[in-house]
Amino acid sequence: MYRVPLFILLSFFITTNIFADNDNPSVSITFDAVSSDEQTVEKQSTFEGSAPIEVTFNMELFDSDGWTYEYEWRFCHEGGNLDEPYMIRYEESPVVTFTQAGTDSIALYITFTRGEEVRKMTRMYWSENTPLTIKASESNLVFPNAFSPNGDGDNDTYMPKTFQSIVEFKAIIYNRWGQKIYEWDDVSSKGWNGKFHGSDVKQGTYFVYVRARGADGRQFTIKKDVNLLRDYNIYDTGTSSASSSTTTP
């Protein structure tokens, strides 16, 4: 999902002499973000998505020739004070992964100096302007009761029906005798394709066990039957023939 880019052009309070020629440096700050549910945005000032959210912060200087400058990126949680951030980064384009549910505010404190002349954007500026914001959604995880790995392109893989802001995850598939058939530890991966050692397993009932943790600290424990319906095809009025390459693990 792409949003219309929104740039923040930062103007600076003059703490010493005012330039007669209005020669003022400025900076634009934005970020690029990728969430765990594959939302991707570029050059934004605000974003909400599923954690983990990997964010690259960007700064672009204007009219800064002849000026030296010092800067730091400041991070605070919602309702926090940018003068008392939980993290400070000094890279020009820091990359930060947000794994905690809630809203974070990010501001660039920067000071330009040329001789005795100073332009700065720090506490006073951010008391009147809105910083960048990243919001990691509350967690959610739902698994279906069945899937149909018959190659029709619909519901061929057993995986979460919905997931959001899951930061730790592991799922295991067992057969009815308790033998482990498959396991995976990436909630956004393709899940189970109905095979064991490369061969299709028989149609029937299997069992899934899931342990996961959300970005908001919520713990998920899911234990449920999984109905593998290999003969089922939503495009047929009847049933399709079962695969001839099946195995009973």
Side-chain angles (χ1 to χ4, degrees):
M1 179 181 70
Y2 288 85
R3 301 186 180 183
V4 177
L6 175 63
F7 293 89
I8 300 178
L9 187 60
L10 306 173
S11 58
F12 296 91
F13 291 90
I14 299 175
T15 59
T16 55
N17 297 333
I18 298 177
F19 282 88
D21 58 357
N22 199 30
D23 182 14
N24 294 321
S26 60
V27 61
S28 168
I29 62 172
T30 60
F31 60 76
D32 306 330
V34 180
S35 64
S36 63
D37 55 357
E38 299 182 347
Q39 291 189 72
T40 303
V41 296
E42 296 179 352
K43 295 185 177 180
Q44 298 294 299
S45 64
T46 183
F47 177 72
E48 178 177 356
S50 175
I53 304 172
E54 183 177 284
V55 181
T56 302
F57 294 92
N58 312 303
M59 57 180 290
E60 184 177 3
L61 300 176
F62 301 92
D63 301 319
S64 61
D65 290 347
W67 295 82
T68 60
Y69 55 92
E70 296 181 352
Y71 60 86
E72 56 187 41
W73 294 91
R74 294 191 169 213
F75 299 75
C76 72
H77 298 307
E78 186 175 22
N81 184 349
L82 287 170
D83 281 343
E84 298 178 352
Y86 70 81
M87 180 172 64
I88 295 177
R89 296 286 291 269
Y90 297 97
E91 307 97 312
E92 183 174 332
S93 297
V95 179
V96 178
T97 300
F98 294 84
T99 60
Q100 181 176 331
T103 302
D104 282 65
S105 298
I106 304 93
L108 181 71
Y109 275 32
I110 187 167
T111 299
F112 287 92
T113 304
R114 186 172 68 180
E116 296 182 355
E117 299 162 328
V118 177
R119 306 289 187 273
K120 65 168 54 180
M121 177 198 66
T122 53
R123 180 179 182 180
M124 186 178 296
Y125 178 88
W126 290 113
S127 68
E128 300 177 355
N129 292 273
T130 303
L132 306 177
T133 57
I134 302 290
K135 182 176 182 179
S137 305
E138 295 182 352
S139 62
N140 186 34
L141 182 63
V142 178
F143 271 78
N145 296 319
F147 76 122
S148 55
N150 52 20
D152 66 357
D154 185 79
N155 202 27
D156 283 331
T157 304
Y158 187 75
M159 58 191 301
K161 184 177 181 180
T162 60
F163 70 90
Q164 184 170 272
S165 290
I166 299 298
V167 295
E168 293 181 10
F169 174 86
K170 186 170 186 178
I172 304 175
I173 302 292
Y174 297 94
N175 65 13
R176 58 184 175 177
W177 296 285
Q179 181 183 12
K180 183 167 66 175
I181 303 302
Y182 185 76
E183 66 178 301
W184 70 106
D185 58 10
D186 182 355
V187 70
S188 61
S189 72
K190 295 182 179 180
W192 183 39
N193 61 3
K195 295 181 182 293
F196 180 65
H197 292 327
S199 298
D200 292 339
V201 301
K202 294 181 66 174
Q203 177 170 289
T205 301
Y206 295 81
F207 181 81
V208 64
Y209 175 71
V210 181
R211 291 292 301 272
R213 181 176 66 86
D216 48 8
R218 182 181 176 186
Q219 300 290 333
F220 295 85
T221 301
I222 299 173
K223 303 175 182 179
K224 65 190 307 178
D225 289 342
V226 179
N227 295 304
L228 191 158
L229 308 174
R230 197 175 298 282
D231 293 348
Y232 179 76
N233 190 316
I234 62 171
Y235 302 108
D236 294 339
T237 55
T239 59
S240 61
S241 60
S243 170
S244 60
S245 174
T246 60
T247 183
T248 302

